[in-house]
Each structure stands twice: as C-alpha cells, then as structure tokens.
Amino acid sequence: PAKLWTARHLPDLFPASQLTGVATRLAAVKSIPGRALRKLVTEYGWPELRSVNMYAGCWDDAIRGRLLGPGGGDPKLLPHWRTDWLRGARAFADNPVDRMLWYDNRTYLPGDLLVKMDIASMHCGLETRSPLLDHEVIEYYAALPVELKVRDRVGKYLLKRLAGRYFPQEFVHRRKMGFGIPLAGWLRGPLHGMMRETLLDQQVMDPLYMPVIKETLAAFEAGDDTQRSRLWALLMYGVWRRWYVELAA
C-alpha cells in the first residue's frame, strides 16, 4: 500500500538526529492543529514516532529539564539516547513495522510490561512465563514478511487467523484493553496524605527541584487529572528515596 511505502522510505531521507528532534517537538504539542499534524505524520509518514516518543508522554524534555533544577542535567542526553535507538532500528530493518518491533523488544517489553508482570506475579508467589516470547517463536516471527505481520490495518495477522479457528471473530478482533488503575482516585483518596508528606519533603525528593514538584501537586489538587501519572512517578521515587535515606542513616 502507498502508506506503507511512504512510511518505509520517507524517514530515510532525513538524518536520525533531525527526526528525533522533530519527534520530541511533536510529542509536546497540545493544540488541536498540532495534534492533527502529529496523527498525520504518525499514520502516513513515520509510524516509528510512537516508539521514539515512548517515554515522552509523562514528562516531555522541557519539563524533565525543569524538574532537575537550574543547570541540572545534560540537555543532550535524551536526544542522543533516542538517536542511538533510531539508528539501531534503521540498521536492523527497512520497514516501520519491524523497526517498531525492534524498539519494543529493547525498551517497552523489558522496561515496562515484563517488569510489571514479574512484580505482580511474584507478589502472589507465582512464576510466570510469556509463551509467545519463546526465543524460537520470536525468531520465526521476526523472519516473516511484514505483510504477514500487519495486513489491512490488522496487527498480529497470523496469530488472529489462527485464533479465528477456535474463537468468535468479535472476541479475536475486539479493541485492545489495558489494565489501568484509578490513579487519580487513589491520589485524592487513601494515598493523598502520604503523597503530600513524601513529595513536600525536600530531603527525600532531592535532587529534584521542589518548585516544579509543588507546581505539579497544586495543579492536580486544583482538578487537573492529567498530572496523575507525573505525581505517581514522583511518589514512587520519593518512597524509594525515603527508604534509601533511612537505610543510609
């Protein structure tokens, strides 16, 4: 299809460092025209934009810089990190689908999904395995043509064809469902006191910049639920740091 051809060749016309700069700027836009442009670029020009911006949804680069305080952090660190990943994906594959799979296998799976599954299962004393991540299955699937991985906007094409033999189509093709937790309710309810005590403790939250923490907390308490993931990340850092500080003492 024309869209796949465009996505396969258009990004290769630009250096990786230039594309990662565009990606971070597009991730930060909030206006309706900006979001429409981001969707257009993602759908028709550069699907890997989703992968490059995987960790920009909660804290974009500008807010991360403010959180580290005046003169804090290396402003080139994240752009260099993203550029290295993009170059690695380009070296591995010549199409956006396989590049995104390459990204996921090195970032999202080991750094997010598998970690959460391991923590949740070990809490209950269970040893879990992901059968579709068996190395022979992965090696076989990675070698398949991209047209057998995504077809007519249907992902996991072969797996769904197989599942269709045993399950109803409405089950096989139902919308993807996550396992979200009621963060806003928790942070306004049973965890609110602990959150305030932890986040407003300068010693615990060091070296993060307290004015930015207070600003984020105030926005949430004024009704801005979009701050919930940021506060959750800060709270997890604070809980870990408090344990670390108390242990060191």
Side-chain angles (χ1 to χ4, degrees):
K3 185 164 72 170
L4 183 59
W5 186 94
T6 303
R8 186 191 299 261
H9 297 289
L10 186 61
D12 293 333
L13 300 176
F14 303 94
S17 57
Q18 188 174 6
L19 284 175
T20 53
V22 171
T24 53
R25 286 193 290 273
L26 283 175
V29 297
K30 304 296 183 185
S31 66
I32 293 177
R35 283 154 47 195
L37 176 61
R38 182 171 60 210
K39 182 175 178 61
L40 184 66
V41 171
T42 304
E43 289 288 327
Y44 290 93
W46 188 30
E48 300 102 299
L49 174 66
R50 296 187 184 95
S51 299
V52 174
N53 283 332
M54 178 67 71
Y55 297 106
C58 183
W59 301 95
D60 63 38
D61 289 11
I63 300 177
R64 286 175 193 263
R66 292 183 57 223
L67 188 62
L68 292 174
D74 181 357
K76 297 181 180 179
L77 180 62
L78 286 175
H80 284 177
W81 179 77
R82 295 189 184 102
T83 300
D84 287 344
W85 281 118
L86 181 55
R87 286 173 178 157
R90 282 181 166 183
F92 175 79
D94 65 351
N95 66 83
V97 173
D98 284 327
R99 288 173 180 170
M100 286 190 286
L101 290 172
W102 186 92
Y103 269 113
D104 276 359
N105 284 335
R106 285 158 179 80
T107 57
Y108 193 40
L109 274 175
D112 191 294
L113 298 181
L114 295 180
V115 176
K116 290 176 179 176
M117 183 183 76
D118 187 57
I119 292 172
S121 59
M122 292 308 294
H123 177 72
C124 301
L126 298 176
E127 273 296 342
T128 56
R129 295 293 183 268
S130 300
L132 294 180
L133 295 182
D134 178 271
H135 73 94
E136 293 183 349
V137 176
I138 291 292
E139 290 165 4
Y140 170 76
Y141 191 74
L144 291 175
V146 66
E147 292 78 11
L148 294 180
K149 298 173 183 176
V150 179
R151 181 178 295 184
D152 298 328
R153 299 182 66 85
V154 176
K156 305 174 187 171
Y157 176 73
L158 284 184
L159 182 62
K160 289 179 180 178
R161 285 288 302 273
L162 177 63
R165 298 179 183 178
Y166 307 100
F167 301 102
Q169 290 300 303
E170 58 270 18
F171 172 77
V172 174
H173 294 281
R174 72 177 184 176
R175 289 179 61 86
K176 194 171 182 178
M177 300 169 65
F179 297 94
I181 56 177
L183 275 184
W186 288 357
L187 296 178
R188 285 202 173 91
L191 297 181
H192 186 254
M194 184 182 75
M195 176 181 67
R196 286 191 59 86
E197 179 185 355
T198 303
L199 267 53
L200 298 178
D201 188 326
Q202 179 68 66
Q203 182 183 13
V204 167
M205 300 307 293
D206 187 69
L208 301 182
Y209 194 45
M210 186 55 67
V212 175
I213 296 174
K214 289 181 177 179
E215 177 186 308
T216 306
L217 179 60
F220 176 76
E221 291 181 334
D224 183 1
D225 280 358
T226 63
Q227 306 292 338
R228 63 187 184 277
S229 295
R230 293 175 179 172
L231 289 175
W232 182 256
L234 289 172
L235 178 59
M236 292 302 100
Y237 169 78
V239 169
W240 170 82
R241 190 91 194 327
R242 170 165 284 162
W243 175 84
Y244 176 81
V245 169
E246 290 176 354
L247 186 67

PDB file of all heavy atoms in Angstrom, residues 177-183 186:
ATOM      1  N   MET A 177      -7.516  -3.796  25.317  1.00  0.00           N
ATOM      2  CA  MET A 177      -7.903  -3.303  26.635  1.00  0.00           C
ATOM      3  C   MET A 177      -6.696  -3.384  27.566  1.00  0.00           C
ATOM      4  O   MET A 177      -6.048  -4.423  27.681  1.00  0.00           O
ATOM      5  CB  MET A 177      -9.051  -4.142  27.205  1.00  0.00           C
ATOM      6  CG  MET A 177     -10.310  -4.134  26.337  1.00  0.00           C
ATOM      7  SD  MET A 177     -11.530  -5.352  26.857  1.00  0.00           S
ATOM      8  CE  MET A 177     -11.959  -4.718  28.477  1.00  0.00           C
ATOM      9  N   GLY A 178      -6.399  -2.281  28.210  1.00  0.00           N
ATOM     10  CA  GLY A 178      -5.286  -2.252  29.141  1.00  0.00           C
ATOM     11  C   GLY A 178      -5.718  -2.617  30.547  1.00  0.00           C
ATOM     12  O   GLY A 178      -6.843  -3.057  30.778  1.00  0.00           O
ATOM     13  N   PHE A 179      -4.808  -2.434  31.469  1.00  0.00           N
ATOM     14  CA  PHE A 179      -5.080  -2.740  32.878  1.00  0.00           C
ATOM     15  C   PHE A 179      -4.831  -1.484  33.715  1.00  0.00           C
ATOM     16  O   PHE A 179      -4.007  -1.481  34.634  1.00  0.00           O
ATOM     17  CB  PHE A 179      -4.186  -3.894  33.353  1.00  0.00           C
ATOM     18  CG  PHE A 179      -4.433  -5.182  32.621  1.00  0.00           C
ATOM     19  CD1 PHE A 179      -3.668  -5.511  31.516  1.00  0.00           C
ATOM     20  CD2 PHE A 179      -5.435  -6.046  33.022  1.00  0.00           C
ATOM     21  CE1 PHE A 179      -3.884  -6.691  30.826  1.00  0.00           C
ATOM     22  CE2 PHE A 179      -5.666  -7.230  32.339  1.00  0.00           C
ATOM     23  CZ  PHE A 179      -4.885  -7.554  31.233  1.00  0.00           C
ATOM     24  N   GLY A 180      -5.524  -0.419  33.355  1.00  0.00           N
ATOM     25  CA  GLY A 180      -5.327   0.849  34.045  1.00  0.00           C
ATOM     26  C   GLY A 180      -5.789   0.788  35.493  1.00  0.00           C
ATOM     27  O   GLY A 180      -6.687   0.015  35.852  1.00  0.00           O
ATOM     28  N   ILE A 181      -5.155   1.585  36.314  1.00  0.00           N
ATOM     29  CA  ILE A 181      -5.539   1.667  37.725  1.00  0.00           C
ATOM     30  C   ILE A 181      -6.083   3.072  37.999  1.00  0.00           C
ATOM     31  O   ILE A 181      -5.709   4.029  37.313  1.00  0.00           O
ATOM     32  CB  ILE A 181      -4.340   1.366  38.654  1.00  0.00           C
ATOM     33  CG1 ILE A 181      -3.171   2.310  38.356  1.00  0.00           C
ATOM     34  CG2 ILE A 181      -3.912  -0.078  38.521  1.00  0.00           C
ATOM     35  CD1 ILE A 181      -1.983   2.115  39.266  1.00  0.00           C
ATOM     36  N   PRO A 182      -6.969   3.218  38.984  1.00  0.00           N
ATOM     37  CA  PRO A 182      -7.597   4.524  39.260  1.00  0.00           C
ATOM     38  C   PRO A 182      -6.660   5.467  40.007  1.00  0.00           C
ATOM     39  O   PRO A 182      -6.882   5.794  41.185  1.00  0.00           O
ATOM     40  CB  PRO A 182      -8.826   4.146  40.091  1.00  0.00           C
ATOM     41  CG  PRO A 182      -8.415   2.894  40.806  1.00  0.00           C
ATOM     42  CD  PRO A 182      -7.523   2.148  39.856  1.00  0.00           C
ATOM     43  N   LEU A 183      -5.613   5.922  39.321  1.00  0.00           N
ATOM     44  CA  LEU A 183      -4.590   6.736  39.973  1.00  0.00           C
ATOM     45  C   LEU A 183      -5.160   7.991  40.625  1.00  0.00           C
ATOM     46  O   LEU A 183      -4.843   8.309  41.770  1.00  0.00           O
ATOM     47  CB  LEU A 183      -3.519   7.150  38.949  1.00  0.00           C
ATOM     48  CG  LEU A 183      -2.381   6.168  38.681  1.00  0.00           C
ATOM     49  CD1 LEU A 183      -1.385   6.802  37.728  1.00  0.00           C
ATOM     50  CD2 LEU A 183      -1.704   5.774  39.978  1.00  0.00           C
ATOM     51  N   TRP A 186      -7.000   7.257  43.801  1.00  0.00           N
ATOM     52  CA  TRP A 186      -6.093   6.867  44.886  1.00  0.00           C
ATOM     53  C   TRP A 186      -5.351   8.081  45.453  1.00  0.00           C
ATOM     54  O   TRP A 186      -5.214   8.226  46.663  1.00  0.00           O
ATOM     55  CB  TRP A 186      -5.068   5.861  44.368  1.00  0.00           C
ATOM     56  CG  TRP A 186      -5.630   4.495  44.099  1.00  0.00           C
ATOM     57  CD1 TRP A 186      -6.901   4.065  44.327  1.00  0.00           C
ATOM     58  CD2 TRP A 186      -4.918   3.388  43.549  1.00  0.00           C
ATOM     59  NE1 TRP A 186      -7.041   2.757  43.936  1.00  0.00           N
ATOM     60  CE2 TRP A 186      -5.840   2.310  43.465  1.00  0.00           C
ATOM     61  CE3 TRP A 186      -3.619   3.196  43.113  1.00  0.00           C
ATOM     62  CZ2 TRP A 186      -5.464   1.063  42.963  1.00  0.00           C
ATOM     63  CZ3 TRP A 186      -3.247   1.957  42.618  1.00  0.00           C
ATOM     64  CH2 TRP A 186      -4.162   0.907  42.544  1.00  0.00           C
TER      65      TRP A 186
END
